[in-house]
Structure formats: structure tokens, C-alpha cells
Amino acid sequence: MTQQVNGAGGTAEDPGRNETPTEKLDRNWQDLLQELRVAQTGVQLLTGLLLTVPFQARFGDLAQHQIVVYLVAVSLSVLATGLLISPVVLHRVLFRQHARPQLVAGAQYLALAGFAALGLAVVGVCELIFDVVLGVGAGITAAIVVLVVIGSLWVVGPLAVRARVDGR
């Protein structure tokens, strides 16, 4: 992965920066770590809270479909936790192996998969809460609304911005 520095002080790929490919990889890694720090806190809190639910007195009152939704939400939350922590583990495994391009690329995919699992876990949690409090119809409606909102904020919006940037 070689980039040529253009006359404006940046690289051919990114004319606004004057950095080597290694510096760019280091910056990308640091950016990703900052983003993961924010997400990890939230997903760990969500997972921890979900893990306490079966020990509550009213858990036995849940209908079978509510228990299924709960177990799916817990599974997705645990999966998100694992995926969002995995880039750090990958870094430890690849430490001093001169594999920064593979590290950044692999961590990118793990982070995106973690965000997808987190989003679906939040949809499941909202469905369950609204179902328990207001009924099945409200649960399904809440899940659809949350899915549309998260999908818009985390997928549609970013892809629209990316398309505009790519079409400069």
C-alpha cells in the first residue's frame, strides 16, 4: 500500500493530510479505538443489566415469546460485547508483527459487526420492554420504530454522506 505525496502537502488519496501510509494507519487505529471506547461502555452496561433480569422476581411472569425475545437480545448484546472488544485482542495477538494494515482492516469489520449486533440488541430490548408494559402490539411497533431510527442513523445516513463524499 504505497501512496504518493502530491504537491499540495497531502497524499493522492487524502490531499488534506501530509502523512505517510504508516502514519495514516496509526491515525486510523487511534480513531477506531476512540470510537470503540464509547461503544464498549454502553454495550457492557446493557449486557450487564440484561444478565440480571432472570434474577428478578417477575421474570417468571414473562410469556414464552417474551422469554425468546429476551434471550435473543441477551445473545446479541453478548455478541456485540465480544465483537467490540475483539479489536483490542486482535491488537495483542498481532503486537510487534508489523501487521498494522491487517489490524486496522480486521478491527474495522469487527467494529461494524459489533455495531450491527448492538443495534439489533437495542431493538430487542425495546420490543421486550414495550411488550411487557403495554402489550404485544406496542412492542412490535416500538421495535419497528427503533429499527428504522437506528437503521437511519447508523446505516442510511452514513452511507448517504459517504456517497456525497465519494462523488465530490
Side-chain angles (χ1 to χ4, degrees):
M1 176 177 182
T2 41
Q3 298 176 336
Q4 296 192 358
V5 176
N6 68 23
T11 63
E13 283 183 14
D14 192 352
R17 295 187 184 272
N18 187 17
E19 57 189 0
T20 67
T22 301
E23 290 169 334
K24 182 176 181 177
L25 285 169
D26 289 342
R27 178 178 51 83
N28 289 342
W29 175 245
Q30 291 303 316
D31 288 350
L32 181 61
L33 284 181
Q34 274 304 110
E35 294 160 5
L36 290 174
R37 283 184 186 104
V38 172
Q40 285 171 346
T41 301
V43 75
Q44 288 170 347
L45 284 170
L46 176 63
T47 302
L49 289 171
L50 285 173
L51 292 174
T52 67
V53 170
F55 303 103
Q56 304 305 311
R58 289 193 52 212
F59 186 76
D61 296 341
L62 293 180
Q64 186 63 36
H65 75 277
Q66 292 170 330
I67 292 172
V68 169
V69 171
Y70 166 75
L71 291 173
V72 169
V74 167
S75 298
L76 287 166
S77 189
V78 168
L79 176 63
T81 301
L83 288 166
L84 293 172
I85 292 173
S86 289
V88 177
V89 176
L90 183 61
H91 179 261
R92 270 301 101 205
V93 171
L94 294 177
F95 188 67
R96 294 188 179 168
Q97 299 299 310
H98 306 287
R100 185 70 66 159
Q102 294 84 356
L103 172 65
V104 172
Q108 165 75 4
Y109 289 114
L110 290 166
L112 289 174
F115 293 137
L118 175 59
L120 292 173
V122 170
V123 169
V125 167
C126 286
E127 193 287 329
L128 180 60
I129 291 170
F130 276 78
D131 184 348
V132 168
V133 174
L134 298 174
V136 175
I140 292 170
T141 301
I144 292 169
V145 168
V146 171
L147 183 63
V148 168
V149 169
I150 288 178
S152 297
L153 292 172
W154 292 6
V155 179
V156 176
L159 289 177
V161 171
R162 184 176 183 162
R164 276 183 286 208
V165 168
D166 290 345
R168 281 188 215 160

